[in-house]
Amino acid sequence: MNAPVLVINCGSSSIKYALVPSAPDQPRLAGLAERLGSGGDARLKGIDSRGESFSQALGEADHTRALEAILDRLERHRPVAVGHRIVHGGERFTRAALIDDDVVAAIEQTSALAPLHNPANLEGVAATRRLFPDLPQVAVFDTAFHQTLPARAYRYALPEALYRDHAIRRYGFHGTSHAYVSRRADALSGLEGGGWLTAHLGNGCSTCAVWQGRSLDTSMGLTPLEGVAMGTRSGDVDPGLHAHLSRQLGWSLERIDEVLNRNSGLLGLSGLTNDMRELEAAESQGHPGAALTLEVFCYRIAKSLAALSCALPRLDGLVFTGGIGENSAPVRERVIALLPHFGLQLNRTVNSETVRGREGRIDAGGRQLWVIPTDEEGQIANETRQRLQEISA
Ligand code: AMP
């Protein structure tokens, strides 16, 4: 395994890792430590170097203990650098950054904008720096790709002081995924620097308009709640909803936040599940809530893509990615059917065959339609390598 980069995605109670070799065709060691710091039943699951899956009890492990267990699982392979996924880089980070004390302090300052994510990401950074004091560590930000948004796209129509004094603006997320699939679409299509609408449809969902490799607009905003409907997140609602729920139902801000983030989206609308596979099965058995949920979900994605097309000087095609975008041929078909004015023609046979992580072009002429499995770990590893090369050059 040549010059592998260890990619770490650290949540408040979990750590996802992948050891990414520099050659794209080589296998990756990857896994997930869960239930960290929750008193006794932490576990590490993953794939070892023989391609076999393992599951190991970690007892009362915290992040440091889990990283030690991950290190053991890397066997004889030693990373040359660590790339950390950091959710929010604010306006300070427009690209990946070599981690030092100043960068850690700047990420801490941004934590007010991502109170659930940045502190957990930093816990991973601190533990990894303790364990690998000699390895270069790079922070790769979810927001950085969208720092090319023009002001007309990132400013809310709010009093200027809220932006100036409190950094309230649209940032966008899933940047690593939108960057990866749009670059891949450029390469696959032969249209270097095309105009793409990308739809990352997973548990979290967002859309993006990319022109010549730069993000010009995206559906998520100050937080990852804005935009299309998601697994458990509402996406856009009337901004007056919060005041209405507070005044009429006496709901606290915490409750409103919880409902919009955890009890809404596919789960809330259907009353069944946030899992697209289960919703599709329920719809085929005639469940009316599932049918409406799928209609709302697809309509909102199409509406978002149509709105974002305003950002592009030219539209060359659409790209689908994420667990739903890569696997659900029916969702892709419905979204495309709602955009007839874009001149899209779907090849239904190829569409229905393009599932389970397969890359494929699914149009039958007209504007290009692509399914491109996202590779956030690979993109983080590449950005880590690039940053280190630039620094050493
Ligand atoms: P992600 O967050 O990218 O892992 O995506 C999670 C979402 O992908 C969940 O809603 C899953 O139900 C959905 N998903 C995964 N596999 C399939 C599939 N074969 N068909 C439809 N949806 C799928």
Side-chain angles (χ1 to χ4, degrees), residues 95-179:
R95 51 188 307 205
L98 182 68
I99 294 178
D100 57 18
D101 292 343
D102 283 349
V103 167
V104 168
I107 298 171
E108 259 160 16
Q109 279 165 17
T110 316
S111 287
L113 293 168
L116 299 179
H117 295 101
N118 274 23
N121 298 158
L122 281 174
E123 209 169 323
V125 170
T128 319
R129 285 177 95 195
R130 273 197 302 276
L131 281 174
F132 304 101
D134 300 326
L135 278 190
Q137 317 232 358
V138 172
V140 179
F141 300 90
D142 256 23
T143 48
F145 182 59
H146 302 300
Q147 280 295 304
T148 48
L149 258 59
R152 69 178 188 187
Y154 74 69
R155 286 294 296 275
Y156 290 114
L158 289 170
E160 205 259 334
L162 287 175
Y163 170 61
R164 195 183 55 234
D165 301 338
H166 302 284
I168 291 177
R169 51 159 282 178
R170 305 182 67 252
Y171 290 95
F173 298 86
H174 289 149
T176 309
S177 179
H178 292 296

Side-chain angles (χ1 to χ4, degrees), residues 200-204 266 274-278 280 322-324 327-328 356:
H200 176 108
L201 310 177
N203 232 328
L266 298 177
N274 62 338
D275 190 315
M276 181 53 75
R277 286 162 291 201
E278 291 173 24
E280 287 179 345
I324 299 172
N327 288 295
S328 177
R356 281 183 282 284

Side-chain angles (χ1 to χ4, degrees), residues 181-375:
V181 299
S182 56
R183 268 170 217 158
R184 191 84 194 118
D186 274 342
L188 289 166
S189 63
L191 293 169
E192 281 304 323
W196 301 105
L197 292 173
T198 54
H200 176 108
L201 310 177
N203 232 328
C205 301
S206 67
T207 54
C208 185
V210 186
W211 172 247
Q212 299 185 333
R214 294 159 70 84
S215 170
L216 293 187
D217 202 354
T218 187
S219 59
M220 285 177 168
L222 175 72
T223 75
L225 188 55
E226 188 175 330
V228 296
M230 313 180 206
T232 62
R233 283 174 251 168
S234 61
D236 292 340
V237 292
D238 184 332
L241 175 70
H242 300 65
H244 180 84
L245 292 174
S246 166
R247 288 194 198 108
Q248 300 301 319
L249 307 185
W251 285 16
S252 66
L253 273 182
E254 287 67 33
R255 180 159 182 204
I256 296 169
D257 219 32
E258 172 84 7
V259 167
L260 296 186
N261 277 290
R262 300 198 195 284
N263 311 131
S264 298
L266 298 177
L267 174 66
L269 259 170
S270 68
L272 279 177
T273 173
N274 62 338
D275 190 315
M276 181 53 75
R277 286 162 291 201
E278 291 173 24
L279 280 174
E280 287 179 345
E283 187 195 31
S284 67
Q285 285 155 19
H287 190 291
L292 175 70
T293 302
L294 287 169
E295 252 186 84
V296 171
F297 181 73
C298 294
Y299 178 68
R300 290 206 169 198
I301 294 164
K303 194 160 102 169
S304 173
L305 292 169
L308 288 192
S309 71
C310 298
L312 292 176
R314 187 187 72 224
L315 174 61
D316 292 308
L318 263 57
V319 183
F320 292 90
T321 193
I324 299 172
E326 292 163 30
N327 288 295
S328 177
V331 166
R332 296 192 299 252
E333 184 170 345
R334 279 190 212 219
V335 171
I336 289 161
L338 288 162
L339 296 166
H341 43 296
F342 278 9
L344 307 177
Q345 295 169 41
L346 180 69
N347 182 330
R348 296 182 69 188
T349 312
V350 179
N351 183 44
S352 63
E353 289 164 0
T354 307
V355 289
R356 281 183 282 284
R358 278 191 47 205
E359 202 164 65
R361 185 168 168 179
I362 57 169
D363 60 77
R367 288 204 167 89
Q368 300 192 15
L369 297 168
W370 287 94
V371 177
I372 300 180
T374 196
D375 182 9

Side-chain angles (χ1 to χ4, degrees), residues 40-52:
D41 57 351
R43 188 157 280 281
L44 176 64
K45 298 181 204 160
I47 305 282
D48 66 18
S49 58
R50 288 165 297 283
E52 282 166 23

